[in-house]
């Protein structure tokens, strides 16, 4: 499976696969808003095999400490359960570690994301923007990170 950075030619296909994966929820517009935001990190917007899947990571913060917020992660429904999401996650985590990022944060199923080394963020003293997210709010650390409240890139506040 080929994982690569998104290009401008991929934008419409990313929007389409995200809408299919999330049943036309707010995730596709969120990605468009993120592209226009100062928190956009092009190296962390990755596609799989002709855009059957997409992952994006943007600049977030634990207090004032920089971190990466992962999401959305989208896989076309016809390709789910075939390792596309797994390959995208390994690629974005490898890119984050190689770039020297020390924390990657996401909201998702602990049963799924624990296989990538994620643990509940509360174990590290990192709190979610919405307290009810606690049981699904996770972190993977590559180094020392101070405890504190996490905030995503600004476009997440529009949801």
């Amino acid at each position: 499976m080929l994982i690569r950075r998104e290009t401008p030619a991929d934008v419409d296909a990313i929007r389409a696969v995200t809408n299919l994966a999330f049943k036309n929820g707010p995730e596709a517009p969120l990605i468009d808003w993120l592209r226009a935001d100062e928190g956009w990190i092009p190296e962390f917007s990755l596609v799989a095999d002709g855009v059957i899947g997409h992952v994006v990571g943007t600049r977030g913060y634990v207090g004032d400490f920089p971190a990466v917020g992962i999401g959305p992660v989208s896989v076309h429904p016809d390709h789910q359960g075939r390792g596309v999401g797994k390959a995208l996650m390994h690629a974005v985590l490898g890119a984050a570690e190689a770039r020297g990022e020390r924390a990657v944060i996401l909201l998702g199923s602990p049963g799924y994301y624990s296989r990538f080394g994620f643990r509940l963020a509360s174990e590290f003293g990192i709190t979610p923007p919405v307290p009810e997210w606690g049981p699904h709010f996770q972190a993977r650390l590559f180094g020392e990170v101070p405890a504190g409240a996490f905030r995503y890139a600004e476009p997440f506040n529009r949801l």
Side-chain angles (χ1 to χ4, degrees):
M1 179 175 314
L2 175 66
I3 305 293
R4 62 174 175 77
R5 281 177 57 175
E6 82 165 51
T7 68
D10 297 321
V11 170
D12 289 339
I14 290 168
R15 192 175 298 116
V17 77
T18 303
N19 277 326
L20 286 168
F22 288 98
K23 298 178 172 57
N24 294 312
E27 289 81 2
L30 171 62
I31 295 168
D32 291 335
W33 299 335
L34 288 167
R35 278 191 196 95
D37 188 74
E38 64 185 28
W40 182 253
I41 305 171
E43 295 89 346
F44 299 156
S45 183
L46 306 174
V47 296
D49 281 351
V51 194
I52 60 170
H54 175 252
V55 63
V56 64
T58 52
R59 177 60 61 220
Y61 293 89
V62 176
D64 292 329
F65 191 87
V68 175
I70 297 292
V73 180
S74 309
V75 177
H76 190 288
D78 292 346
H79 298 277
Q80 291 176 1
R82 298 181 183 174
V84 176
K86 179 180 177 180
L88 286 165
M89 285 303 300
H90 281 300
V92 77
L93 289 171
E97 186 175 20
R99 189 177 142 130
E101 299 291 343
R102 290 198 269 169
V104 178
I105 312 288
L106 59 75
L107 181 66
S109 166
Y112 181 77
Y113 289 103
S114 64
R115 71 188 73 190
F116 305 107
F118 283 89
R119 296 176 19 207
L120 289 178
S122 61
E123 294 180 29
F124 306 109
I126 300 170
T127 58
V130 177
E132 293 78 22
W133 294 356
H136 303 283
F137 193 67
Q138 300 168 71
R140 166 123 186 235
L141 303 186
F142 296 113
E144 292 293 317
V145 176
F150 180 76
R151 72 180 187 282
Y152 282 100
E154 185 281 326
F156 282 91
N157 297 333
R158 302 178 202 171
L159 299 179

